[in-house]
Amino acid sequence: VGGGSIIDGCKFIALAAHYQGDPWEILTNPTYQADKAITLGVVQTLPATGSEMNSGAVISRRSIGAKQAFMNPLVFPQFTNQTVTKWNY
């Protein structure tokens, strides 16, 4: 439940849960090919990045000042529920 950054973080966790080693290697090792991931569903609260309808993500690691992107069909959301709210200006 959340916006693009939360969804991207969940995509990374979905892959990392099955990885034996430092999960950051999923992003930095160009030869790594995941063969399974936790099934992902999305309840989007802030539409902006399109993360709810693609298999990509951008992950930041503040401790080393790095940002990495990845694409993997295993983390394409199996369902998306967009929460629509009325904006009061």
Side-chain angles (χ1 to χ4, degrees):
V1 176
S5 296
I6 300 301
I7 296 167
D8 286 359
C10 291
K11 289 177 180 182
F12 179 62
I13 291 168
L15 286 179
H18 294 289
Y19 186 74
Q20 301 298 316
D22 179 359
W24 190 249
E25 294 171 359
I26 294 170
L27 305 174
T28 58
N29 180 351
T31 62
Y32 175 70
Q33 294 294 318
D35 59 355
K36 61 183 171 178
I38 295 172
T39 302
L40 183 67
V42 172
V43 177
Q44 184 183 36
T45 59
L46 180 64
T49 66
S51 193
E52 76 283 357
M53 58 183 181
N54 65 44
S55 59
V58 177
I59 305 299
S60 298
R61 188 170 184 179
R62 290 183 187 176
S63 63
I64 60 173
K67 185 179 277 193
Q68 293 283 341
F70 75 93
M71 298 280 290
N72 190 304
L74 295 174
V75 297
F76 191 93
Q78 298 301 302
F79 70 85
T80 298
N81 181 354
Q82 295 185 340
T83 303
V84 179
T85 59
K86 180 178 179 183
W87 294 89
N88 296 316
Y89 293 99

